[in-house]
Amino acid sequence: MKPDDCYKMNGPTVKFYIRFNTSRLLVLTIFLYGISSTLVAEEIRFPDELTKFRPYTSNPIFEAQGPGHWDVKIRERGWILKEEDFYHLWFTGYDGTRQGIKKLGYAWSCDGIHWTRSPCNPIYQQHWVEDMMVIKQGNTYHMFAEGKNDIAQHLTSTDAVNWTRVGALDVRMSDGKPIAAGPYGTPVVWYEKGTWYLFYERRDAGIWLATSPDMKVWTNINNDQPVMLPGPESYDQKMIAMNQLIKYQGTYYMVFHGTAAVQKPSLWTTNIAASQNMIDWVKYSGNPLTRPEVNQSSGLLIPDGNRFRFYTMHNQVDLNLPVVP
């Protein structure tokens, strides 16, 4: 049909032609959307090297010293950072009571398995420090951790041992107003292309994302909504918190822990999710990576040459070795 022929048709014919072509356009749109969705799904992969591990036979590889020491117990997320062939380990030690001040400890290793404690432990005890992570930028180590009452804070160091507290993180809503009063903890920080990204949880009810150009003021993105919520599967239906972010083969991977609503007391599992943009996350269909009955949380994927090791950090440090050669 030539363009001029449209003007030669009567009214009903014109309406039928428009209706017919609109239907064809709708079908084409749905078809293209289906292709797009399939391509997006294909982009999200969960390779075996990030999901398949076996427990190390001599676990735990690190634990509290026990009664009579400053670290009667250790708790929550510790952090392992590998620099070339040297491993750093930061951990929280305390007297075992809920009210006991949480102090920062440090150990090092040449193989990531056998650890030497710092003779200076606890290396920081001026303020409450727990649930920490460390990122190195230039010559400075930046620690982001929970302080008392689960308020996220920032500390810095040039030698990994002597730390200076910068202060509590200033997190704002997208309109610039401070977030509502209350806990905001388990901070995970990522730096990329001149922007700092902060993931944080509030009462383990969801994970939010904020950004900053300089780590001074953090502003929520995603319309102030969480980028991840508990569920819908049972393993993380009650509570979630993020442990780590890595980027592998062009995809972001989040290690997080969760607990099921039916479990009392709460037993935590460690899990993984993936994203192309740090906002839209797909949880691994094979979650959880750890069994609920062993109550292992605060997981970290640590590169070991061409492979990853999988550590869990809560109560004690356990190691899982890669199944993939």
Side-chain angles (χ1 to χ4, degrees):
M1 179 180 290
K2 299 190 294 293
D4 289 346
D5 291 338
C6 294
Y7 296 100
K8 298 177 182 178
M9 296 186 295
N10 59 30
T13 304
V14 172
K15 290 179 181 178
F16 171 77
Y17 180 74
I18 293 173
R19 190 180 303 117
F20 174 73
N21 280 277
T22 301
S23 299
R24 289 179 63 185
L25 179 60
L26 178 60
V27 171
L28 178 62
T29 301
I30 293 173
F31 175 71
L32 292 175
Y33 177 78
I35 292 176
S36 176
S37 298
T38 300
L39 290 175
V40 170
E42 289 177 351
E43 289 176 357
I44 298 295
R45 295 178 54 253
F46 292 93
D48 289 349
E49 55 265 37
L50 301 183
T51 57
K52 308 297 183 186
F53 299 92
R54 56 180 174 81
Y56 179 59
T57 55
S58 298
N59 280 328
I61 60 169
F62 189 87
E63 56 188 335
Q65 294 185 99
H69 299 274
W70 72 275
D71 56 336
V72 175
K73 291 185 178 181
I74 61 175
R75 64 174 273 116
E76 301 236 305
R77 179 183 54 176
W79 193 260
I80 294 173
L81 176 66
K82 184 174 184 288
E83 290 191 273
E84 297 181 351
D85 295 326
F86 189 84
Y87 293 81
H88 304 272
L89 167 63
W90 295 273
F91 64 97
T92 295
Y94 69 116
D95 64 8
T97 67
R98 188 174 183 85
Q99 297 76 22
I101 186 171
K102 308 306 184 286
K103 304 173 183 179
L104 181 63
Y106 175 75
W108 66 85
S109 172
C110 292
D111 61 7
I113 298 175
H114 304 93
W115 299 90
T116 300
R117 295 170 183 266
S118 169
C120 301
N121 281 337
I123 59 172
Y124 187 90
Q125 54 185 321
Q126 295 93 317
H127 301 88
W128 187 298
V129 176
E130 64 177 323
D131 219 347
M132 83 292 294
M133 63 87 58
V134 177
I135 182 172
K136 190 177 184 182
Q137 183 71 5
N139 295 320
T140 301
Y141 297 91
H142 296 273
M143 177 177 289
F144 298 89
E146 287 182 3
K148 194 170 185 179
N149 300 321
D150 293 346
I151 302 300
Q153 60 181 327
H154 180 198
L155 303 94
T156 61
S157 173
T158 56
D159 61 7
V161 176
N162 296 287
W163 292 88
T164 299
R165 187 176 187 268
V166 179
L169 300 189
D170 184 352
V171 183
R172 307 290 183 92
M173 304 286 284
S174 57
D175 62 4
K177 297 178 181 178
I179 60 174
Y184 56 105
T186 324
V188 174
V189 171
W190 180 262
Y191 179 79
E192 187 170 334
K193 296 179 180 179
T195 299
W196 292 88
Y197 297 83
L198 167 68
F199 294 85
Y200 65 96
E201 49 81 13
R202 308 211 71 182
R203 298 183 176 87
D204 297 311
I207 298 167
W208 280 258
L209 176 58
T211 63
S212 174
D214 54 13
M215 295 183 285
K216 294 180 180 178
V217 174
W218 303 84
T219 304
N220 278 349
I221 61 175
N222 197 41
N223 297 315
D224 294 310
Q225 298 303 306
V227 296
M228 183 180 287
L229 290 168
E233 302 298 330
S234 61
Y235 65 85
D236 68 340
Q237 206 169 58
K238 182 179 180 182
M239 295 184 289
I240 58 171
M242 184 174 177
N243 300 316
Q244 182 192 31
L245 179 71
I246 66 169
K247 193 173 186 180
Y248 181 65
Q249 297 181 347
T251 298
Y252 300 99
Y253 291 92
M254 173 199 297
V255 182
F256 69 100
H257 57 257
T259 186
V262 297
Q263 294 170 340
K264 292 184 179 180
S266 295
L267 297 175
W268 295 92
T269 60
T270 300
N271 311 277
I272 191 168
S275 173
Q276 296 296 332
N277 58 12
M278 290 192 275
I279 296 175
D280 303 298
W281 292 91
V282 176
K283 296 179 183 179
Y284 175 45
S285 62
N287 283 337
L289 301 183
T290 59
R291 304 188 315 275
E293 60 269 22
V294 296
N295 197 29
Q296 293 174 319
S297 67
S298 302
L300 301 175
L301 290 166
I302 305 299
D304 175 17
N306 295 321
R307 308 181 305 170
F308 285 88
R309 295 176 180 181
F310 176 45
Y311 294 84
T312 56
M313 307 287 291
H314 187 47
N315 293 330
Q316 62 186 33
V317 182
D318 287 325
L319 170 62
N320 297 275
L321 296 173
V323 172
V324 178

